[in-house]
Amino acid sequence: AGAGGAGAGGAPSTVCAPSAAAPLGPREMQQALHDVSAWLVINSMRTECVQFDQLCSQNLANIWRQNAAEQLLEGHRSFKVRADAATSYVLEALGEAFVSAREGAASRQRLENKVLAIYFQSASPSADLSRALREVYTAHGPEGSQSLEIIYVSEASKMESFRANFCLMPWLAIPFTHAQRRARLRSLFQVDGACTLVL
C-alpha cells in the first residue's frame, strides 16, 4: 500500500505532527518581561548584600588589626620574650656538640653559667678582631676568670680552610661537618657574610 493507502483495518493512516507553541499575546509578553526584570533586580540585590557583608567583615578586621597594633606598640614590654626563654632558644640552636683545637670534642656543659660570644668568620677573616678576641679570651676564658666562652662559626666550604683558621683559635667551634647548624645560626642572627660577633 502507498503512503496514502489504508491500514490493516481498512481505515486511512494518519501522522501526528507536533503542534507549534502559540504566540504570546500582549498581556503574556508584558508579564514575561516583568518576571525577567524582577528576577534580575532580586539577584542584583542579593549580590549587593553579599558584597556589603564582605565589606563589613573587612572593616571589622581592619579595626581589629588597628587595635591590636596599638596595644602591641603601647605594651611592647609585656610582649617581650623572657630572657631565660631567649637563652634556651639560642642554646638549642647552638646544639650539643662542639670541638676544641686543643682538647678535641667538647659538650654544651662548657657553656653553662658563662657569657657566650658567637664569632661568625667570613671568607676574609679580620686579623684585628681575632687578635682582640684572643686577648679577651685569655683574660676571661678557661685560663682566666672562666666567665666567657667563644664559639666559632666558620664560613669555610672546605675542611682544609676550616682547619687552617681554627687551629690558631683557643675557643670552641661548631664542627665543620655540621653545615646545617652553621647555616641555621647565620640565618638566626642575620649574618650577611662579614665578620660578626654576637654576645
Side-chain angles (χ1 to χ4, degrees):
S13 61
T14 58
V15 178
C16 295
S19 59
L24 296 177
R27 292 184 178 179
E28 289 80 2
M29 181 64 70
Q30 186 178 9
Q31 184 63 42
L33 293 175
H34 286 169
D35 292 342
V36 171
S37 300
W39 183 86
L40 292 174
V41 171
I42 292 174
N43 280 273
S44 177
M45 293 173 63
R46 290 177 177 173
T47 303
E48 290 179 357
C49 288
V50 172
Q51 293 177 351
F52 177 76
D53 292 341
Q54 291 178 346
L55 289 175
C56 289
S57 299
Q58 292 176 1
N59 289 336
L60 289 175
N62 291 334
I63 294 173
W64 179 88
R65 293 189 186 98
Q66 183 178 358
N67 292 335
E70 291 176 355
Q71 292 179 9
L72 183 61
L73 291 175
E74 292 176 358
H76 66 280
R77 289 185 178 86
S78 61
F79 291 96
K80 290 178 62 176
V81 178
R82 300 192 314 273
D84 56 343
T87 301
S88 300
Y89 184 77
V90 172
L91 288 175
E92 183 179 353
L94 286 172
E96 296 285 346
F98 302 91
V99 62
S100 169
R102 298 177 179 178
E103 305 171 8
S107 67
R108 198 163 69 181
Q109 293 180 351
R110 286 273 300 268
L111 311 181
E112 293 180 356
N113 301 321
K114 292 183 180 180
V115 176
L116 301 182
I118 307 176
Y119 177 27
F120 295 93
Q121 192 178 54
S122 65
S124 301
S126 173
D128 294 337
L129 179 58
S130 298
R131 187 183 308 108
L133 286 177
R134 192 172 288 106
E135 294 177 359
V136 174
Y137 193 74
T138 301
H140 302 283
E143 298 178 358
S145 63
Q146 300 184 0
S147 61
L148 173 69
E149 188 58 66
I150 299 177
I151 302 169
Y152 171 60
V153 182
S154 175
E155 196 182 30
S157 57
K158 296 182 179 179
M159 177 64 79
E160 293 77 11
S161 300
F162 173 79
R163 289 176 176 173
N165 291 325
F166 182 55
C167 67
L168 303 175
M169 299 178 180
W171 43 74
L172 301 179
I174 302 293
F176 174 79
T177 54
H178 294 196
Q180 291 185 353
R181 284 173 59 194
R182 293 187 287 125
R184 186 165 61 249
L185 287 169
R186 288 185 175 276
S187 175
L188 175 63
F189 293 103
Q190 300 180 356
V191 178
D192 58 1
C195 288
T196 305
L197 183 68
V198 179
L199 292 174

